[in-house]
Amino acid sequence: MDNNIPDIEQLIKQFSKLPGLGPKSAKRIILKLINNKENMIKPLAKLLANVYKNVVRCTDCGNLKVVNQQCTCELNSNTYDKICVVENLADMWVIESANIFKGHFHILGGTLNSDEKYEQKNLLINSLVKRIKKNNLKEVIIATSATVEGQTTAHYIEDVIKNDKIKISKLGQGLPVGGEIEQLDDGTLVSAFKNRVPVSTD
Ligand SMILES: [Zn+2]
């Protein structure tokens, strides 16, 4: 697509930033869209505008919710006594689709580097503490990735939430070093959940 229409050029640039897409596949997608203005661009533009306007991140659990509506974390607050802490939404989705965990989710929204202060990042850790107390949760499963950042984050969380009453565990064997939750296959995830190890809190 060799042309000088700035909007198209910008669009290709934006699409190239999406996961799994390079400039070539971005161009193919744009071409497909342009050839189907009514059937594809129109509904897509409308949906994107709606999502931009109406979908926000819940400041309690980190999940997506419709603005001005109650989040599922509030509606289901008494359903379970376990909570699984993950780095991002994609991690929650793989765990959900593997069907290995029944409980609440808590999405941190990222990880900590060892040289970063918690205050520098906008991770939802204070709200995790609040949810544990408020919903009287019994077990926290920290399902951060087996990367340096993931483990730094896990340690930080352990320190913040540990007390006599709460059971804290981490995903166990089977989790490859450097492995990101999002990239794991179901079998590995199942085994990591089954073999989760208690974190000693002394
Ligand atoms: Zn929520």
Side-chain angles (χ1 to χ4, degrees), residues 12-190:
I12 293 170
K13 254 193 203 155
Q14 289 298 328
F15 270 77
S16 308
K17 293 179 193 164
L18 296 175
L21 293 186
K24 248 189 189 169
S25 34
K27 276 183 192 172
R28 273 214 304 274
I29 291 173
I30 308 296
L31 193 62
K32 176 90 180 171
L33 289 172
I34 290 171
N35 288 335
N36 295 276
K37 272 178 89 169
E38 282 304 309
N39 298 335
M40 294 186 107
I41 294 191
K42 204 175 175 186
L44 195 60
K46 199 174 163 216
L47 280 169
L48 285 174
N50 285 348
V51 168
Y52 178 77
K53 209 171 80 190
N54 300 324
V55 179
V56 291
R57 216 181 142 210
C58 171
T59 49
D60 292 325
C61 71
N63 205 343
L64 299 176
K65 65 166 212 143
V66 178
V67 70
N68 296 331
Q69 281 186 17
Q70 256 191 335
C71 178
T72 45
C73 73
E74 239 181 300
L75 297 168
N76 305 331
S77 61
N78 296 319
T79 319
Y80 309 107
D81 63 0
K82 288 189 182 73
I83 193 163
C84 178
V85 180
V86 293
E87 291 168 15
N88 55 52
L89 204 58
D91 294 345
M92 182 185 87
W93 284 343
V94 290
I95 293 168
E96 269 182 344
S97 68
N99 238 332
I100 36 178
F101 172 73
K102 282 251 170 302
H104 302 286
F105 277 96
H106 191 84
I107 301 155
L108 296 168
T111 49
L112 291 174
N113 289 324
S114 45
D115 56 348
E116 276 175 329
K117 294 244 162 42
Y118 165 60
E119 291 74 24
Q120 292 173 270
K121 288 276 184 102
N122 225 358
L123 302 189
L124 290 184
I125 294 180
N126 291 339
S127 68
L128 173 64
V129 177
K130 273 190 207 142
R131 288 182 77 196
I132 292 170
K133 267 192 205 150
K134 192 175 154 208
N135 301 332
N136 202 15
L137 301 177
K138 303 280 185 283
E139 182 179 1
V140 179
I141 301 164
I142 303 178
T144 51
S145 296
T147 55
V148 176
E149 291 81 13
Q151 293 313 300
T152 306
T153 312
H155 286 305
Y156 185 87
I157 295 170
E158 285 156 27
D159 279 344
V160 174
I161 63 176
K162 68 183 173 192
N163 66 44
D164 306 339
K165 281 175 241 150
I166 194 93
K167 185 178 158 198
I168 307 171
S169 53
K170 276 206 279 199
L171 296 193
Q173 44 171 280
L175 204 60
V177 174
E180 298 196 11
I181 301 296
E182 191 187 335
Q183 314 288 350
L184 299 178
D185 59 87
D186 284 7
T188 310
L189 260 183
V190 170

